[in-house]
Amino acid sequence: KRTGRGRLKVAGASSGDGASAPSLRVQLLDLLDADSRGEFELLYQPIIGADGRVRSVEALIRWNHPDRGQLTPDHFIDALIHSGRIEGVGRWVVSTAVRQIEEWDAIGLGGLSININVSPGELAHPGFCSHLRTTIAESSIDPSRIRIEITELALAGTFVPTAMLDDLSNIGARIVLDDFGTGVSSLSHLRVKSLSGIKIDKSFLRHAADNIVDRGIVEGMIALAHNIGVDVTVEGVETRDQAHWLASTGCEAMQGWLFSRAVSATDVPNIAAQRFDMPHSEV
Ligand code: C2E
Ligand code: MG
Ligand code: MG
Ligand code: MG
């Protein structure tokens, strides 16, 4: 029976609620074995180009918890990171995602790219790039179809050595800056060698309809990205009005519930065969 979504707390997290300690331990133990029990699943959310075609899908992890149903990453990603389990799960994510687009190629879907989220700690781990390299080499996938989404936190300070980013681009994978404009924003992060794209965070869209400042920031970020030759995906597109406005900004791609939620792998072929009705752009 599904008992709904509970928030998973980690030792060392802000809450000092001792009363919840026993259940906390159980939850953490659950998480440590979730991997071996095969409880993780990747869902895929389409990213739509200006022509209305699906150009890529973003792999988004879910935990199919035996009692609580399907949990989104905000319930467990931090716990994975703090318990040191993220590297192993991240390797599973990479392997699964690459195998998946190979399978889609095999059924004639052809040419889909895949966006893979990588947390700063994973990327800083020396094993990450070698696993990615091996996985791609053992597959039939052109590395440029792998789009590694990193956040600005990965680039802040010396969290991830430049050599690791060089490794990534030497492999031939694309580097995309996720949640752009939030967190530890510094425009110097755009100097990252071989940056291929940015994803504008969905928080900028929430009030875009009635907030001229948010609209101006989004339009400015898109112009900035284009000035340095990287492409732009806007995430969190939920309304036709937003899509209509964004089409006029010249962003390359949109992602959001207006088009599709994250779906299971078996639902992707149908969605990828579709041509989405995009508001007309100036092209
Ligand atoms: P993200 O990479 O920024 O992913 C976008 C999030 O926005 C996803 O949440 C997606 O379901 C949600 N979203 C998409 N369209 C809309 C929309 O129109 N409106 C709204 N309100 N939300 C929308 P999700 O799947 O819960 O993932 C949350 C975060 O967890 C991701 O944010 C990413 O940072 C992280 N994550 C997901 N999968 C992985 C993974 O395999 N590894 C790592 N390290 N992190 C992951
Ligand atoms: Mg992402
Ligand atoms: Mg994002
Ligand atoms: Mg986000």
Side-chain angles (χ1 to χ4, degrees):
K1 176 171 166 276
R2 297 194 169 184
T3 50
R5 290 172 174 178
R7 181 161 270 280
L8 196 124
K9 294 193 188 124
V10 205
S14 51
S15 160
D17 184 6
S20 66
S23 70
L24 182 155
R25 249 190 323 271
V26 169
Q27 289 170 345
L28 205 46
L29 280 176
D30 273 0
L31 185 63
L32 298 186
D33 289 337
D35 206 1
S36 55
R37 285 195 306 267
E39 290 169 2
F40 290 121
E41 180 185 358
L42 292 185
L43 298 187
Y44 303 89
Q45 187 179 32
I47 298 173
I48 320 293
D51 59 358
R53 300 284 185 198
V54 178
R55 32 152 58 199
S56 189
V57 292
E58 178 173 6
L60 295 164
I61 195 169
R62 297 291 182 265
W63 178 13
N64 294 318
H65 191 284
D67 307 320
R68 297 147 147 236
Q70 193 168 70
L71 301 178
T72 51
D74 51 317
H75 295 272
F76 62 89
I77 277 283
D78 284 348
L80 280 178
I81 290 171
H82 290 113
S83 63
R85 288 299 165 118
I86 191 71
E87 278 90 22
V89 174
R91 274 195 297 279
W92 173 84
V93 169
V94 165
S95 305
T96 306
V98 170
R99 199 179 331 113
Q100 191 58 68
I101 53 170
E102 263 191 304
E103 272 174 36
W104 288 327
D105 279 1
I107 60 164
L109 230 55
L112 270 189
S113 291
I114 194 148
N115 288 45
I116 300 176
N117 292 284
V118 179
S119 60
E122 285 174 78
L123 189 59
H125 196 275
F128 178 82
C129 278
S130 59
H131 175 70
L132 182 67
R133 186 189 299 277
T134 314
T135 307
I136 293 176
E138 286 170 354
S139 79
S140 55
I141 302 302
D142 187 296
S144 65
R145 290 167 65 194
I146 312 290
R147 298 168 64 88
I148 300 293
E149 297 195 4
I150 62 175
T151 60
E152 290 176 274
L153 190 58
L155 305 176
T158 54
F159 206 138
V160 175
T162 319
M164 303 244 167
L165 295 169
D166 290 344
D167 267 5
L168 256 190
S169 70
N170 287 337
I171 292 172
R174 305 258 189 247
I175 301 176
V176 178
L177 207 43
D178 201 0
D179 302 341
F180 187 73
T182 63
V184 287
S185 279
S186 161
L187 294 178
S188 66
H189 296 148
L190 290 172
R191 291 209 193 96
V192 168
K193 216 170 80 192
S194 53
L195 183 68
S196 144
I198 63 166
K199 296 184 76 174
I200 295 181
D201 192 68
K202 54 180 177 288
S203 60
F204 291 103
L205 261 69
R206 207 165 295 142
H207 306 292
D210 46 37
N211 188 327
I212 195 172
V213 173
D214 281 6
R215 276 203 305 283
I217 292 173
V218 170
E219 288 168 9
M221 290 192 288
I222 293 171
L224 176 59
H226 288 166
N227 278 342
I228 60 168
V230 305
D231 67 31
V232 181
T233 302
V234 182
E235 32 169 63
V237 181
E238 294 182 358
T239 69
R240 293 246 15 116
D241 281 351
Q242 289 170 343
H244 203 273
W245 157 59
L246 289 167
S248 74
T249 65
C251 69
E252 279 75 12
M254 299 184 210
Q255 176 180 2
W257 296 344
L258 173 66
F259 306 102
S260 172
R261 298 209 172 218
V263 299
S264 70
T266 47
D267 291 332
V268 168
N270 268 336
I271 290 177
Q274 243 171 282
R275 178 160 185 173
F276 286 86
D277 177 27
M278 273 301 214
H280 77 282
S281 59
E282 320 305 280
V283 284

